[in-house]
């Protein structure tokens, strides 16, 4: 009965810009219409009490901050472009709830929490989980959303002292933060190396990359446990792992395409041809000095450089086009080494092509 | 209103379907309505926790139990969830092989949704019994699959019925559908044929004509419809088709069942060892009390109903969880 009118009052803050009388008029007409259809209801008295109820409902919602809460959730949902918005909202609210529940607990006995080493560890784990949750929100191809999330994750992991509570972490969509320098004063002066490494490990394993495959990459991105990792390094590491996970999934799919499932492993000649094409494309895209994913993501390029890069990417994608691939494969079918290559070996070879192009973090 | 704005933005930017976004809107507004209706109860645990529970129950399809009809049919997800709940609650009937009448199925549905309208049950019954002998008894699986089709694709089937009746009456269905050029050319001949066989109207209509009309209907249908290829496949099988036999074939079509995704395939409909165990436990408990065997299974079904959490229930559940400080044991302690 109240549904429609309540729906209008769902988002009180958002309606501030509308003249209130107009709004009231709209909803009460709708209600009156409905009431007419109900026998035995006296419209005038009812609509008055309804109007009072509407007011109290509106007050309740604004007091409870429901409008803000929902607006934040919807913005996150839009930003993340999830395929499953309901699942996303469920996770989002669960995450917020656990954050606010543990957040208040942390406020209550903050001193105890931070004094005992055990609970400090637990807190660190909690921060790590939350940071990972934020990193999962948006795919790395959605650049500004991803950058925002990396920033939020970095700030979360950077929380070490009791001075900053999770509630203070800037979470709103404050535009792309890629160029803003880290506010190192408030936090611990950088994410701990150990936490950074753990984050990267989790990202790779969540991305479906076997530990053995990601190990050489993590070796390159590794920071010492005691080091304070600056934001740029953190972002580079996270992005590289995200791209790497995608790349390995693609490589796995590529192998599945090359091999016929009924006939066992794919022929070595075919796999080598495919890997060769892949390598050539990667080399084309890489340019002379920087590695490919950093190249794709630092925004400090001059206009000319951007153009050159764009041309290189086009060339590279032409090199890995189905036509080129088919050409290489048909060539390999007639000549080339005999024998087979299994999925693992192919994956490792493909991973190596990628990893050699990742610069070593000092 | 602001939500609508964001949602439009989302539709614009995201490849998620409009239908999904409309669903999000339905859930957001329902969540707020529920919150307002049970303010005192829900706010004890915090508004954020309430929304978390609400959307988790939507995600887990536990949200439609005991809700009003308008809600359970509001989104495709709700419909599928309700079909699944219906199956899970009354699976035992199928297992015992009982045949029930339309009114009995209606009562079962009303246990889950108090204002479930009889019209939907009637339409379902017509699919199962091919329109005649509507007071015959039906097996659970026949009813279930027909119900799934009827409930999930309601609006579409209604439109098809209008087209069908127009075709049957020799009227051009142009008023209902946007005709393609070919259908205009063909229709008069069809109509003439139909008029010739006045006495044999029960045979139905020309399958190919119906297929064309349905195809055009799909083009402009904003609600969901069964996959075109399935419908074509069924209509290609015979020259003439009548509405309810067409629907029966659709109801039995495994692809359509998979698309809706609420039920397992017909062969696996009654297999669920985990629930069997639970039911056995419940029945064992009940058989201690002096109730007859047949009511035992019905109560078992109901218990099952109550175990599934609606958003409201979730909060109660939560309270219990928090009061004894455990999270996992609650389920077993309930049994």
């Amino acid at each position: 009965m109240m549904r429609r009118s309540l729906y209008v009052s769902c988002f009180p803050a958002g309606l501030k810009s509308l003249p209130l009388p107009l709004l009231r008029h709209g909803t009460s007409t709708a209600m009156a219409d409905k009431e007419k259809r109900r026998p035995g209801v006296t419209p005038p008295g009812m609509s008055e009490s309804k109007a009072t109820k509407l007011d109290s409902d509106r007050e309740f919602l604004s007091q409870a901050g429901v409008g803000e809460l929902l607006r934040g959730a919807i913005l996150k949902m839009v930003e993340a472009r999830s395929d499953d918005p309901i699942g996303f909202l469920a996770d989002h609210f669960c995450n917020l709830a656990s954050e606010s529940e543990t957040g208040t607990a942390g406020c209550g006995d903050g001193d105890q929490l931070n004094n005992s080493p055990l609970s400090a560890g637990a807190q660190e784990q909690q921060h790590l989980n939350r940071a990972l949750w934020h990193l999962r929100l948006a795919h790395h191809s959605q650049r500004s959303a991803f950058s925002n999330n990396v920033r939020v994750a970095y700030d979360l992991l950077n929380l070490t002292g009791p001075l900053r509570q999770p509630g203070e972490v800037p979470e709103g969509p404050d535009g792309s933060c890629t160029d803003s320098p880290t506010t190192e004063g408030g936090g611990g002066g950088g994410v701990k190396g150990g936490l950074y490494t753990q984050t990267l490990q989790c990202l790779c394993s969540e991305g479906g990359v076997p530990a053995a495959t990601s190990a050489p990459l993590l070796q390159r991105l590794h920071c010492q446990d005691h080091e304070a990792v600056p934001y740029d390094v953190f972002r580079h590491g996270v992005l590289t792992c995200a791209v790497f996970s995608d790349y390995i999934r693609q490589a796995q799919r590529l192998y599945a395409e090359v091999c016929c499932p009924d006939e066992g492993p794919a022929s070595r000649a075919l796999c080598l041809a495919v890997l060769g094409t892949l390598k050539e494309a990667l080399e084309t895209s890489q340019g002379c000095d920087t590695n490919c994913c950093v190249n794709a993501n630092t925004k400090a390029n001059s206009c000319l450089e951007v153009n050159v890069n764009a041309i290189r990417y086009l060339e590279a994608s032409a090199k890995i086009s189905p036509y080129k691939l088919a050409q290489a494969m048909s060539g390999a079918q007639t000549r080339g080494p005999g024998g087979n290559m299994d999925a693992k070996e192919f994956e490792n070879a493909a991973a190596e092509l990628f990893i050699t192009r990742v610069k070593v973090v000092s | 209103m602001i939500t609508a704005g964001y949602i439009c933005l989302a539709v614009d930017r995201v490849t998620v379907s409009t239908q999904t976004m409309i669903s999000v809107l339905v859930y957001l507004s329902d969540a707020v309505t529920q919150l307002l209706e049970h303010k005192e109860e829900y706010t004890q645990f915090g508004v954020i926790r309430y929304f978390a529970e609400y959307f988790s129950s939507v995600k887990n399809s536990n949200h439609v139990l005991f809700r009003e009809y308008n809600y359970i049919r509001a989104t495709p997800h709700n419909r599928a969830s309700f079909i699944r709940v219906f199956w899970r609650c009354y699976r035992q009937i199928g297992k015992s092989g009982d045949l029930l009448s339309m009114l009995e199925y209606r009562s079962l549905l009303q246990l889950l949704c108090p204002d479930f309208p009889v019209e939907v049950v009637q339409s379902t019954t017509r699919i199962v019994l091919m329109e005649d002998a509507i007071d015959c008894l039906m097996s659970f699986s026949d009813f279930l699959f027909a119900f799934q089709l009827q409930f999930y694709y309601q609006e579409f089937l209604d439109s098809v019925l209008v087209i069908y009746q127009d075709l049957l009456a020799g009227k051009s269905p142009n008023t209902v559908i946007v005709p393609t050029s070919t259908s205009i050319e063909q229709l008069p001949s069809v109509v003439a044929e139909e008029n010739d066989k006045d006495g044999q109207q029960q045979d139905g209509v020309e399958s190919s004509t119906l297929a064309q009309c349905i195809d055009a209907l799909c083009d402009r249908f904003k609600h969901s419809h069964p996959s075109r290829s399935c419908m074509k496949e069924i209509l290609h099988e015979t020259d003439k088709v009548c509405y309810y036999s067409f629907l029966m074939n659709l109801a039995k079509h495994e692809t359509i069942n998979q698309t809706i995704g609420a039920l397992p395939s017909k062969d696996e409909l009654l297999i669920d060892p985990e629930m069997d165990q639970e039911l056995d436990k419940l029945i064992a408990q009940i058989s201690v009390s002096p109730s007859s065997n047949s009511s035992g299974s019905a109560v078992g079904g109901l218990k099952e109903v109550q175990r599934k959490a609606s958003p409201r229930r979730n909060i109660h559940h939560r309270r219990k969880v928090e009061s004894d400080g455990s999270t996992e044991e609650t389920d077993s302690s309930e049994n």
Side-chain angles (χ1 to χ4, degrees), chain A residues 344-361:
Chain A
K344 190 72 209 155
E345 192 182 347
F346 185 86
E347 189 181 301
N348 286 339
E352 199 191 323
L353 289 179
F354 185 100
I355 293 170
T356 50
R357 282 163 180 76
V358 175
K359 70 177 173 197
V360 182
V361 173

Side-chain angles (χ1 to χ4, degrees), chain A residues 3 6-7 10-11 57 60 64 69-71 74-75 78 81-82 85-86 89-91 93-94 96-97 101, chain B residues 2-3 6 10 13 16 20 24 27-30 32-33 36 39 43 47-49 51-52 55-56 58-59 68:
Chain A
R3 177 132 315 167
L6 287 181
Y7 163 60
C10 286
F11 310 102
D57 281 348
F60 167 77
L69 184 70
L70 294 188
R71 187 178 301 106
I74 294 164
L75 276 175
V78 172
R81 307 183 188 200
S82 163
I86 298 300
L89 288 176
D91 292 347
F93 284 120
C94 284
L96 273 188
E101 278 155 22
Chain B
I2 185 136
T3 322
Y6 284 134
R13 290 175 61 196
V16 168
T20 316
V24 172
Y27 294 125
L28 283 170
S29 82
D30 181 67
V32 175
T33 311
L36 287 173
K39 272 181 221 164
T43 43
V47 171
I48 302 178
R49 174 54 64 188
F51 280 106
F55 281 97
S56 300
V58 174
K59 185 180 159 191
E68 64 280 7

Side-chain angles (χ1 to χ4, degrees), chain A:
Chain A
M1 183 66 243
M2 283 289 289
R3 177 132 315 167
R4 186 161 299 279
S5 45
L6 287 181
Y7 163 60
V8 176
S9 67
C10 286
F11 310 102
L15 294 170
K16 272 177 192 156
S17 55
L18 289 175
L20 205 58
L22 180 72
L23 232 171
R24 286 242 177 90
H25 177 72
T27 51
S28 59
T29 325
M31 279 192 310
D33 280 348
K34 284 198 169 178
E35 247 114 55
K36 270 178 212 157
R37 275 177 249 138
R38 290 192 91 191
V41 176
T42 44
M46 267 307 271
S47 61
E48 217 167 87
S49 74
K50 286 274 152 105
T52 338
K53 182 159 190 323
L54 199 62
D55 276 344
S56 79
D57 281 348
R58 193 170 290 155
E59 200 181 321
F60 167 77
L61 290 175
S62 74
Q63 264 176 9
V66 172
E68 279 306 312
L69 184 70
L70 294 188
R71 187 178 301 106
I74 294 164
L75 276 175
K76 278 275 171 204
M77 182 189 85
V78 172
E79 192 184 73
R81 307 183 188 200
S82 163
D83 292 337
D84 169 24
I86 298 300
F88 177 86
L89 288 176
D91 292 347
H92 174 78
F93 284 120
C94 284
N95 186 53
L96 273 188
S98 68
E99 235 170 74
S100 69
E101 278 155 22
T102 55
T104 49
C107 281
D109 20 65
D111 290 354
Q112 291 161 19
L113 265 180
N114 291 302
N115 285 342
S116 91
L118 185 73
S119 50
Q123 204 181 18
E124 202 171 83
Q125 185 59 41
Q126 210 171 51
H127 285 168
L128 179 66
N129 289 341
R130 262 183 239 157
L132 285 168
W133 186 82
H134 281 288
L135 291 177
R136 277 192 297 262
L137 280 181
H139 189 257
H140 63 82
S141 60
Q142 293 151 28
R143 202 54 49 78
S144 77
F146 186 75
S147 293
N148 274 339
N149 295 333
V150 174
R151 156 69 49 181
V152 173
Y154 183 81
D155 287 341
L156 264 172
L157 294 175
N158 202 7
L159 286 173
T160 49
L163 290 174
R164 291 182 62 179
Q165 290 298 327
E168 292 172 54
V169 176
E171 282 203 26
D174 45 350
S176 169
C177 321
T178 43
D179 47 354
S180 72
T182 323
T183 48
E184 283 173 28
V191 171
K192 276 194 266 173
L195 262 180
Y196 161 79
T197 312
Q198 240 179 312
T199 309
L200 298 190
Q201 273 165 354
C202 291
L203 279 178
C204 286
S205 70
E206 276 172 15
V209 181
T213 312
S214 61
L217 175 74
L218 294 174
Q219 196 61 40
R220 282 185 177 243
L221 298 170
H222 182 75
C223 285
Q224 296 300 325
D225 285 359
H226 55 79
E227 279 177 311
V229 181
Y231 175 70
D232 287 343
V233 174
F234 180 81
R235 184 170 180 282
H236 169 242
V238 165
L239 190 55
T240 308
C241 285
V243 175
F244 183 68
S245 303
D246 271 3
Y247 173 83
I248 290 299
R249 273 199 297 274
Q250 294 283 2
Q252 286 163 347
R253 240 172 278 161
L254 194 57
Y255 182 82
E257 291 290 324
V258 173
C259 92
C260 306
D262 307 330
E263 295 168 23
S267 101
R268 175 168 298 272
L270 278 185
C271 288
L272 288 178
V274 171
L275 287 169
T277 319
L278 192 60
K279 185 174 179 212
E280 209 183 322
L282 281 176
E283 271 163 4
T284 313
S285 70
Q286 188 179 25
C288 39
D289 45 48
T290 41
N291 83 58
C292 60
C293 54
V294 168
N295 222 348
N297 290 293
T298 43
K299 45 167 246 41
N301 293 325
S302 72
C303 209
L304 183 71
E305 236 176 307
V306 170
N307 279 341
V308 170
N309 281 341
I311 291 166
R312 254 204 316 257
Y313 294 144
L314 281 176
E315 265 177 43
S317 53
K319 289 223 164 116
I320 194 97
S321 66
Y323 169 71
K324 279 275 183 192
L325 208 53
Q327 220 175 18
M329 284 171 76
S330 72
Q333 242 162 1
T334 48
R335 54 203 144 73
N340 294 328
M341 187 186 273
D342 65 7
K344 190 72 209 155
E345 192 182 347
F346 185 86
E347 189 181 301
N348 286 339
E352 199 191 323
L353 289 179
F354 185 100
I355 293 170
T356 50
R357 282 163 180 76
V358 175
K359 70 177 173 197
V360 182
V361 173
S362 55

